[in-house]
Amino acid sequence: MVDDLDDLPLSDLDENLIEGAAEDSASGEQDTAGLPRVLRYAVLASRADQSVYHRLAAEIETVCPGIAMTATWIDTPDAASGCALAVELDHRAVREDKSECRSLADCVRLISLALPRDRALGEEHRRVAGALAAAFRKLPQSISFKLAAEVEAVVYGWAALPVCAHEVVGAFQTPAILAAAMLGARMARRRITEAEEKAFARSRERLREADERKAARSDIDAAMPLPVPDGHVVVVRTDPVTMAGHKFKEIITPLKALIDVPLPLIKTPPLAEVRCQLMAEFGYAADVVDFVLSDLVGRPTVGFRPLLMVGPPGGGKTRFAQRLQQLLGIGLWRTDSSGADGAAFSGTDRRWSTAQPCHPLLAIARAGHANVLILLDEIDKAAIGRDHGRLFDCLLGFLEIDSARQYPDPALQTTVDLRHVCYVATANFIDNLPSPLLDRFRQVDFPKPTEADLQALLPAVVTDILRDQGLDQRWIDGLSPAETSAIAQHWRGGSVRRLRRLVEIVLRQRDGQASRH
């Protein structure tokens, strides 16, 4: 049987108490949950949280149930009803020996009192001020600085209300807790400004000291030579003077890997193996092979004096230089001399928008090691006009070891060490080359192959064609005797370029026949 009392409607007070209890329960996770009761209600009320009345009423009903004045206070939460309820709670604290009732009474006064402009309520204000101060002394150390500052403003603002109420703009019935929060914040404004200024001053002082320590370390580092392991060399060393200006940062972006960093020098491979491979492909140029490799004998790392190979076109000079670079395991930078000018090769000044380091330095940056090979192809075709600087003239500073050791790069505006760069030039004729340039090269005549060299040349030519086409030689059969014979009928020695074109025709013919079958 169901009791009929279960169906009775709830009163307004019951609904408020249930609502307040629910809100208080839901707020358990909030930042104010760890505060003493009077401070918790002070902070919530200073934030204009309207739920404080229902929450406090729910607590009163839990601790001291059945107080009729609670409903009156909830309906009209002013100073009169609040003080009446607080007095009743004080009496209950004595009669029932419940100290918790005094705490609830202080909270009721806290959120009910208006500005202290009525002398009759002065004692009520002092009672709340004492409760706030006592709770503030027990403030937990674990709360955040922000919440602690909020509590401090409310406590000291309430204490100052009796003498500073006239400074708070508000109506006679302005809640005292809101005025206390505003007044407390205003009282601390200059102290906050002073604290911020002190913090900024300390921060500036720490930054200044850090800059001084950094500058001192930089001076020490600059005075101490950079340790360089064996088989390495520092190509670019910077200093504060050369690093000044935003333009420098733009220029060094592609060079970061070699700025103040020891770069490796590629070790010399077994020369017997290199010679065997070169002789297999360039048997007709045996003297050239021995002439070039003789300068590498006894060197722990790859390096040789500038080399100039002179011979008729199509003899394989460029291909020989490329195969030499591949077998030595060093990087290659090819310069087409017919379209190059000295201004670009030697680098352009930092003042110009097109500022760029010299080409040998770019070659080192791309290869990642210091002894790269610069191929000056067809140097006899370089322009002789001086409008943009002659390539002939700018090369002189790179080909001498002493000047290359401290080459003044115009873009970096510092000296760079380029003495380990290897230079190979090719030319059909040398009649138009200036004598100062020729004096800096070791010259060797590069012969043309003859008909007798065909069998030695064909495998290398086929390999080059397949590599350029992105094909794997393992999937291609070698030239048949009939194909070799056909090529021999049309090539009687001379240009390797012409031989390559003949081999390409034969391979295309083979592919065409295979597709038809």
PDB file of all heavy atoms in Angstrom, residues 340-343 345-346 382-396 432-434 436:
ATOM      1  N   ALA A 340      78.994  29.960 -68.781  1.00  0.00           N
ATOM      2  CA  ALA A 340      79.336  30.420 -67.438  1.00  0.00           C
ATOM      3  C   ALA A 340      80.056  31.755 -67.503  1.00  0.00           C
ATOM      4  O   ALA A 340      80.718  32.076 -68.489  1.00  0.00           O
ATOM      5  CB  ALA A 340      80.211  29.386 -66.725  1.00  0.00           C
ATOM      6  N   ASP A 341      79.903  32.533 -66.447  1.00  0.00           N
ATOM      7  CA  ASP A 341      80.658  33.782 -66.331  1.00  0.00           C
ATOM      8  C   ASP A 341      81.329  33.822 -64.972  1.00  0.00           C
ATOM      9  O   ASP A 341      80.931  33.137 -64.027  1.00  0.00           O
ATOM     10  CB  ASP A 341      79.751  34.999 -66.527  1.00  0.00           C
ATOM     11  CG  ASP A 341      78.600  35.058 -65.533  1.00  0.00           C
ATOM     12  OD1 ASP A 341      78.878  35.270 -64.340  1.00  0.00           O
ATOM     13  OD2 ASP A 341      77.445  34.886 -65.945  1.00  0.00           O
ATOM     14  N   GLY A 342      82.337  34.638 -64.882  1.00  0.00           N
ATOM     15  CA  GLY A 342      83.121  34.692 -63.657  1.00  0.00           C
ATOM     16  C   GLY A 342      82.345  35.191 -62.464  1.00  0.00           C
ATOM     17  O   GLY A 342      82.580  34.757 -61.328  1.00  0.00           O
ATOM     18  N   ALA A 343      81.394  36.104 -62.682  1.00  0.00           N
ATOM     19  CA  ALA A 343      80.655  36.671 -61.563  1.00  0.00           C
ATOM     20  C   ALA A 343      79.844  35.606 -60.846  1.00  0.00           C
ATOM     21  O   ALA A 343      79.763  35.603 -59.611  1.00  0.00           O
ATOM     22  CB  ALA A 343      79.740  37.781 -62.052  1.00  0.00           C
ATOM     23  N   PHE A 345      80.358  32.158 -61.022  1.00  0.00           N
ATOM     24  CA  PHE A 345      81.200  31.076 -60.524  1.00  0.00           C
ATOM     25  C   PHE A 345      81.921  31.484 -59.235  1.00  0.00           C
ATOM     26  O   PHE A 345      82.038  30.689 -58.293  1.00  0.00           O
ATOM     27  CB  PHE A 345      82.218  30.670 -61.587  1.00  0.00           C
ATOM     28  CG  PHE A 345      82.991  29.430 -61.243  1.00  0.00           C
ATOM     29  CD1 PHE A 345      82.518  28.179 -61.595  1.00  0.00           C
ATOM     30  CD2 PHE A 345      84.202  29.512 -60.560  1.00  0.00           C
ATOM     31  CE1 PHE A 345      83.229  27.039 -61.268  1.00  0.00           C
ATOM     32  CE2 PHE A 345      84.910  28.373 -60.229  1.00  0.00           C
ATOM     33  CZ  PHE A 345      84.426  27.126 -60.584  1.00  0.00           C
ATOM     34  N   SER A 346      82.403  32.709 -59.191  1.00  0.00           N
ATOM     35  CA  SER A 346      83.192  33.161 -58.041  1.00  0.00           C
ATOM     36  C   SER A 346      82.317  33.681 -56.904  1.00  0.00           C
ATOM     37  O   SER A 346      82.819  33.993 -55.834  1.00  0.00           O
ATOM     38  CB  SER A 346      84.173  34.253 -58.465  1.00  0.00           C
ATOM     39  OG  SER A 346      83.476  35.364 -58.997  1.00  0.00           O
ATOM     40  N   ALA A 382      84.671  29.324 -73.237  1.00  0.00           N
ATOM     41  CA  ALA A 382      84.218  30.337 -72.277  1.00  0.00           C
ATOM     42  C   ALA A 382      84.247  31.715 -72.910  1.00  0.00           C
ATOM     43  O   ALA A 382      85.091  32.023 -73.759  1.00  0.00           O
ATOM     44  CB  ALA A 382      85.102  30.313 -71.031  1.00  0.00           C
ATOM     45  N   ALA A 383      83.281  32.561 -72.505  1.00  0.00           N
ATOM     46  CA  ALA A 383      83.195  33.910 -73.059  1.00  0.00           C
ATOM     47  C   ALA A 383      84.439  34.718 -72.692  1.00  0.00           C
ATOM     48  O   ALA A 383      85.003  34.573 -71.611  1.00  0.00           O
ATOM     49  CB  ALA A 383      81.941  34.602 -72.519  1.00  0.00           C
ATOM     50  N   ILE A 384      84.839  35.580 -73.643  1.00  0.00           N
ATOM     51  CA  ILE A 384      86.032  36.398 -73.404  1.00  0.00           C
ATOM     52  C   ILE A 384      85.664  37.839 -73.060  1.00  0.00           C
ATOM     53  O   ILE A 384      86.534  38.646 -72.757  1.00  0.00           O
ATOM     54  CB  ILE A 384      86.961  36.385 -74.641  1.00  0.00           C
ATOM     55  CG1 ILE A 384      86.214  36.907 -75.877  1.00  0.00           C
ATOM     56  CG2 ILE A 384      87.476  34.969 -74.883  1.00  0.00           C
ATOM     57  CD1 ILE A 384      87.112  37.020 -77.108  1.00  0.00           C
ATOM     58  N   GLY A 385      84.355  38.163 -73.104  1.00  0.00           N
ATOM     59  CA  GLY A 385      83.922  39.508 -72.725  1.00  0.00           C
ATOM     60  C   GLY A 385      84.055  39.720 -71.220  1.00  0.00           C
ATOM     61  O   GLY A 385      83.995  38.789 -70.421  1.00  0.00           O
ATOM     62  N   ARG A 386      84.216  40.965 -70.819  1.00  0.00           N
ATOM     63  CA  ARG A 386      84.439  41.291 -69.405  1.00  0.00           C
ATOM     64  C   ARG A 386      83.202  41.918 -68.749  1.00  0.00           C
ATOM     65  O   ARG A 386      83.295  42.470 -67.661  1.00  0.00           O
ATOM     66  CB  ARG A 386      85.631  42.237 -69.262  1.00  0.00           C
ATOM     67  CG  ARG A 386      86.932  41.639 -69.776  1.00  0.00           C
ATOM     68  CD  ARG A 386      88.080  42.633 -69.619  1.00  0.00           C
ATOM     69  NE  ARG A 386      89.326  42.103 -70.157  1.00  0.00           N
ATOM     70  CZ  ARG A 386      90.192  41.368 -69.459  1.00  0.00           C
ATOM     71  NH1 ARG A 386      89.930  41.095 -68.199  1.00  0.00           N
ATOM     72  NH2 ARG A 386      91.301  40.925 -70.010  1.00  0.00           N
ATOM     73  N   ASP A 387      82.040  41.870 -69.428  1.00  0.00           N
ATOM     74  CA  ASP A 387      80.853  42.514 -68.874  1.00  0.00           C
ATOM     75  C   ASP A 387      80.481  41.933 -67.517  1.00  0.00           C
ATOM     76  O   ASP A 387      80.124  42.663 -66.581  1.00  0.00           O
ATOM     77  CB  ASP A 387      79.670  42.374 -69.842  1.00  0.00           C
ATOM     78  CG  ASP A 387      79.923  43.112 -71.151  1.00  0.00           C
ATOM     79  OD1 ASP A 387      80.807  43.985 -71.149  1.00  0.00           O
ATOM     80  OD2 ASP A 387      79.254  42.799 -72.150  1.00  0.00           O
ATOM     81  N   HIS A 388      80.513  40.619 -67.402  1.00  0.00           N
ATOM     82  CA  HIS A 388      80.144  39.951 -66.152  1.00  0.00           C
ATOM     83  C   HIS A 388      81.338  39.212 -65.548  1.00  0.00           C
ATOM     84  O   HIS A 388      81.144  38.326 -64.713  1.00  0.00           O
ATOM     85  CB  HIS A 388      78.993  38.973 -66.388  1.00  0.00           C
ATOM     86  CG  HIS A 388      77.759  39.616 -66.946  1.00  0.00           C
ATOM     87  ND1 HIS A 388      76.928  40.405 -66.188  1.00  0.00           N
ATOM     88  CD2 HIS A 388      77.237  39.596 -68.205  1.00  0.00           C
ATOM     89  CE1 HIS A 388      75.930  40.838 -66.941  1.00  0.00           C
ATOM     90  NE2 HIS A 388      76.091  40.362 -68.164  1.00  0.00           N
ATOM     91  N   GLY A 389      82.520  39.571 -65.946  1.00  0.00           N
ATOM     92  CA  GLY A 389      83.706  38.903 -65.431  1.00  0.00           C
ATOM     93  C   GLY A 389      84.031  37.660 -66.232  1.00  0.00           C
ATOM     94  O   GLY A 389      83.148  36.848 -66.511  1.00  0.00           O
ATOM     95  N   ARG A 390      85.275  37.505 -66.619  1.00  0.00           N
ATOM     96  CA  ARG A 390      85.661  36.335 -67.401  1.00  0.00           C
ATOM     97  C   ARG A 390      85.892  35.139 -66.487  1.00  0.00           C
ATOM     98  O   ARG A 390      86.482  35.267 -65.408  1.00  0.00           O
ATOM     99  CB  ARG A 390      86.937  36.625 -68.191  1.00  0.00           C
ATOM    100  CG  ARG A 390      86.790  37.683 -69.256  1.00  0.00           C
ATOM    101  CD  ARG A 390      87.933  37.618 -70.255  1.00  0.00           C
ATOM    102  NE  ARG A 390      89.247  37.602 -69.615  1.00  0.00           N
ATOM    103  CZ  ARG A 390      90.372  37.395 -70.283  1.00  0.00           C
ATOM    104  NH1 ARG A 390      90.339  37.171 -71.594  1.00  0.00           N
ATOM    105  NH2 ARG A 390      91.544  37.404 -69.659  1.00  0.00           N
ATOM    106  N   LEU A 391      85.445  33.978 -66.931  1.00  0.00           N
ATOM    107  CA  LEU A 391      85.683  32.753 -66.173  1.00  0.00           C
ATOM    108  C   LEU A 391      87.169  32.492 -66.036  1.00  0.00           C
ATOM    109  O   LEU A 391      87.639  32.010 -64.994  1.00  0.00           O
ATOM    110  CB  LEU A 391      84.980  31.578 -66.870  1.00  0.00           C
ATOM    111  CG  LEU A 391      85.090  30.211 -66.184  1.00  0.00           C
ATOM    112  CD1 LEU A 391      84.443  30.247 -64.803  1.00  0.00           C
ATOM    113  CD2 LEU A 391      84.453  29.124 -67.040  1.00  0.00           C
ATOM    114  N   PHE A 392      87.939  32.839 -67.100  1.00  0.00           N
ATOM    115  CA  PHE A 392      89.389  32.646 -67.065  1.00  0.00           C
ATOM    116  C   PHE A 392      90.004  33.343 -65.856  1.00  0.00           C
ATOM    117  O   PHE A 392      90.829  32.778 -65.136  1.00  0.00           O
ATOM    118  CB  PHE A 392      90.042  33.196 -68.341  1.00  0.00           C
ATOM    119  CG  PHE A 392      89.587  32.507 -69.600  1.00  0.00           C
ATOM    120  CD1 PHE A 392      89.576  33.195 -70.814  1.00  0.00           C
ATOM    121  CD2 PHE A 392      89.174  31.189 -69.587  1.00  0.00           C
ATOM    122  CE1 PHE A 392      89.168  32.574 -71.972  1.00  0.00           C
ATOM    123  CE2 PHE A 392      88.753  30.561 -70.747  1.00  0.00           C
ATOM    124  CZ  PHE A 392      88.747  31.260 -71.950  1.00  0.00           C
ATOM    125  N   ASP A 393      89.595  34.577 -65.644  1.00  0.00           N
ATOM    126  CA  ASP A 393      90.211  35.395 -64.594  1.00  0.00           C
ATOM    127  C   ASP A 393      89.836  34.916 -63.197  1.00  0.00           C
ATOM    128  O   ASP A 393      90.678  34.873 -62.297  1.00  0.00           O
ATOM    129  CB  ASP A 393      89.805  36.860 -64.766  1.00  0.00           C
ATOM    130  CG  ASP A 393      90.274  37.432 -66.097  1.00  0.00           C
ATOM    131  OD1 ASP A 393      91.309  36.957 -66.603  1.00  0.00           O
ATOM    132  OD2 ASP A 393      89.596  38.334 -66.631  1.00  0.00           O
ATOM    133  N   CYS A 394      88.560  34.569 -63.003  1.00  0.00           N
ATOM    134  CA  CYS A 394      88.129  34.183 -61.647  1.00  0.00           C
ATOM    135  C   CYS A 394      88.709  32.842 -61.230  1.00  0.00           C
ATOM    136  O   CYS A 394      88.874  32.579 -60.036  1.00  0.00           O
ATOM    137  CB  CYS A 394      86.614  34.170 -61.560  1.00  0.00           C
ATOM    138  SG  CYS A 394      85.817  32.665 -62.132  1.00  0.00           S
ATOM    139  N   LEU A 395      89.044  31.971 -62.212  1.00  0.00           N
ATOM    140  CA  LEU A 395      89.576  30.658 -61.866  1.00  0.00           C
ATOM    141  C   LEU A 395      90.946  30.730 -61.221  1.00  0.00           C
ATOM    142  O   LEU A 395      91.335  29.827 -60.462  1.00  0.00           O
ATOM    143  CB  LEU A 395      89.646  29.771 -63.113  1.00  0.00           C
ATOM    144  CG  LEU A 395      88.317  29.211 -63.636  1.00  0.00           C
ATOM    145  CD1 LEU A 395      88.534  28.482 -64.953  1.00  0.00           C
ATOM    146  CD2 LEU A 395      87.695  28.281 -62.612  1.00  0.00           C
ATOM    147  N   LEU A 396      91.685  31.788 -61.505  1.00  0.00           N
ATOM    148  CA  LEU A 396      93.056  31.877 -60.996  1.00  0.00           C
ATOM    149  C   LEU A 396      93.090  31.794 -59.471  1.00  0.00           C
ATOM    150  O   LEU A 396      94.010  31.200 -58.898  1.00  0.00           O
ATOM    151  CB  LEU A 396      93.705  33.178 -61.473  1.00  0.00           C
ATOM    152  CG  LEU A 396      93.774  33.360 -63.000  1.00  0.00           C
ATOM    153  CD1 LEU A 396      94.442  34.691 -63.345  1.00  0.00           C
ATOM    154  CD2 LEU A 396      94.523  32.204 -63.647  1.00  0.00           C
ATOM    155  N   ASN A 432      93.337  29.813 -77.467  1.00  0.00           N
ATOM    156  CA  ASN A 432      92.726  31.045 -76.961  1.00  0.00           C
ATOM    157  C   ASN A 432      92.748  31.144 -75.432  1.00  0.00           C
ATOM    158  O   ASN A 432      92.215  32.092 -74.868  1.00  0.00           O
ATOM    159  CB  ASN A 432      91.271  31.150 -77.429  1.00  0.00           C
ATOM    160  CG  ASN A 432      90.411  30.013 -76.910  1.00  0.00           C
ATOM    161  OD1 ASN A 432      90.919  28.921 -76.666  1.00  0.00           O
ATOM    162  ND2 ASN A 432      89.119  30.256 -76.735  1.00  0.00           N
ATOM    163  N   LEU A 433      93.352  30.166 -74.771  1.00  0.00           N
ATOM    164  CA  LEU A 433      93.415  30.205 -73.321  1.00  0.00           C
ATOM    165  C   LEU A 433      94.597  31.061 -72.870  1.00  0.00           C
ATOM    166  O   LEU A 433      95.708  30.907 -73.388  1.00  0.00           O
ATOM    167  CB  LEU A 433      93.546  28.794 -72.736  1.00  0.00           C
ATOM    168  CG  LEU A 433      92.383  27.833 -73.040  1.00  0.00           C
ATOM    169  CD1 LEU A 433      92.628  26.485 -72.388  1.00  0.00           C
ATOM    170  CD2 LEU A 433      91.059  28.413 -72.554  1.00  0.00           C
ATOM    171  N   PRO A 434      94.389  31.944 -71.884  1.00  0.00           N
ATOM    172  CA  PRO A 434      95.486  32.805 -71.432  1.00  0.00           C
ATOM    173  C   PRO A 434      96.575  31.995 -70.744  1.00  0.00           C
ATOM    174  O   PRO A 434      96.296  30.990 -70.073  1.00  0.00           O
ATOM    175  CB  PRO A 434      94.798  33.778 -70.467  1.00  0.00           C
ATOM    176  CG  PRO A 434      93.552  33.085 -70.035  1.00  0.00           C
ATOM    177  CD  PRO A 434      93.121  32.234 -71.183  1.00  0.00           C
ATOM    178  N   PRO A 436      98.432  32.649 -68.064  1.00  0.00           N
ATOM    179  CA  PRO A 436      98.357  32.466 -66.603  1.00  0.00           C
ATOM    180  C   PRO A 436      97.444  31.313 -66.202  1.00  0.00           C
ATOM    181  O   PRO A 436      97.687  30.644 -65.195  1.00  0.00           O
ATOM    182  CB  PRO A 436      97.788  33.804 -66.106  1.00  0.00           C
ATOM    183  CG  PRO A 436      98.173  34.784 -67.151  1.00  0.00           C
ATOM    184  CD  PRO A 436      98.079  34.031 -68.443  1.00  0.00           C
TER     185      PRO A 436
END
